[in-house]
Amino acid sequence: MATQSDDTRITSIPKATLPDLTGVQHSLSQLVDNHVCVVFFSCNHCPYVQWIEQAVGEFSREFAEVSWVAICSNDAQSYPEDDVAGLLEQCNRANWDFPYLVDSDQSVAREFRAVCTPDFYVFGIDSELVYRGAFDTSRPRSTTPVTGEYLRAAIESAQTNEKFSQGAPALGCSIKWLEA
């Protein structure tokens, strides 16, 4: 289990382009362009992601005016369930209809300073970071319900251009880095 580091120096969305699960290239800055945007690091095998994936799909429909993007940066050679076929299965299972991007060289994860899955980033319409952290206080096998309270509050703050100071660090499985 990994937690987000205190190193949150990223303040705006990186100018990066990544392929989705069908090979179509997506520019992160164009996804954000004049929209509130949620970017989250995800994968198929992590029980922390699996715990909230249905709720993330519901949130993406509830906040349809928000741009959503998931990014998988895991080493798919060592974790084959995080390859394109596994991620497609996850999209179907979780009812995700937003771009799921593949960061095969892990450069975007490094630029974001992502450390775990799920790790959420909310950017305002000015492309500036509003929130980085957890979805909510629930955890796999806990009795705390999945509510998305942190992400909901961050999105609502971004939509109204208000300061956001709630939330908690992301908690989940570490990103599976390529061997050097």
Side-chain angles (χ1 to χ4, degrees), residues 41-67:
F41 286 83
S42 184
C43 69
N44 184 35
H45 87 275
C46 174
Y48 289 83
V49 173
Q50 293 170 1
W51 179 253
I52 63 166
E53 66 187 12
Q54 292 291 323
V56 170
E58 291 167 14
F59 265 54
S60 71
R61 288 182 290 286
E62 178 182 346
F63 292 100
E65 70 284 3
V66 170
S67 293

Side-chain angles (χ1 to χ4, degrees), residues 36 38 55-66 68 120 122 130-131 133-137 146-160 162 164 166-167:
V36 171
V38 175
V56 170
E58 291 167 14
F59 265 54
S60 71
R61 288 182 290 286
E62 178 182 346
F63 292 100
E65 70 284 3
V66 170
W68 290 81
F120 288 88
V122 177
V130 172
Y131 174 67
F135 186 69
D136 60 18
T137 60
V146 176
T147 64
E149 73 260 21
Y150 297 147
L151 188 61
R152 176 182 302 281
I155 291 170
E156 290 171 351
S157 290
Q159 290 174 321
T160 59
E162 294 177 14
F164 183 74
Q166 304 169 355

Side-chain angles (χ1 to χ4, degrees), residues 43-159:
C43 69
N44 184 35
H45 87 275
C46 174
Y48 289 83
V49 173
Q50 293 170 1
W51 179 253
I52 63 166
E53 66 187 12
Q54 292 291 323
V56 170
E58 291 167 14
F59 265 54
S60 71
R61 288 182 290 286
E62 178 182 346
F63 292 100
E65 70 284 3
V66 170
S67 293
W68 290 81
V69 62
I71 300 173
C72 182
S73 298
N74 278 356
D75 174 3
Q77 289 284 79
S78 298
Y79 291 83
E81 57 271 44
D82 292 339
D83 69 5
V84 170
L87 301 179
L88 283 167
E89 185 226 292
Q90 181 182 28
C91 285
N92 290 329
R93 179 179 71 232
N95 295 311
W96 291 354
D97 59 0
F98 46 80
Y100 202 158
L101 308 182
V102 178
D103 179 23
S104 58
D105 70 0
Q106 301 179 325
S107 61
V108 172
R110 291 184 194 289
E111 200 166 348
F112 271 84
R113 292 175 180 79
V115 295
C116 66
T117 61
D119 197 352
F120 288 88
Y121 297 75
V122 177
F123 295 91
I125 60 170
D126 57 0
S127 299
E128 294 299 309
L129 183 67
V130 172
Y131 174 67
R132 177 190 181 184
F135 186 69
D136 60 18
T137 60
S138 69
R139 302 291 179 257
R141 296 175 301 281
S142 75
T143 58
T144 305
V146 176
T147 64
E149 73 260 21
Y150 297 147
L151 188 61
R152 176 182 302 281
I155 291 170
E156 290 171 351
S157 290
Q159 290 174 321

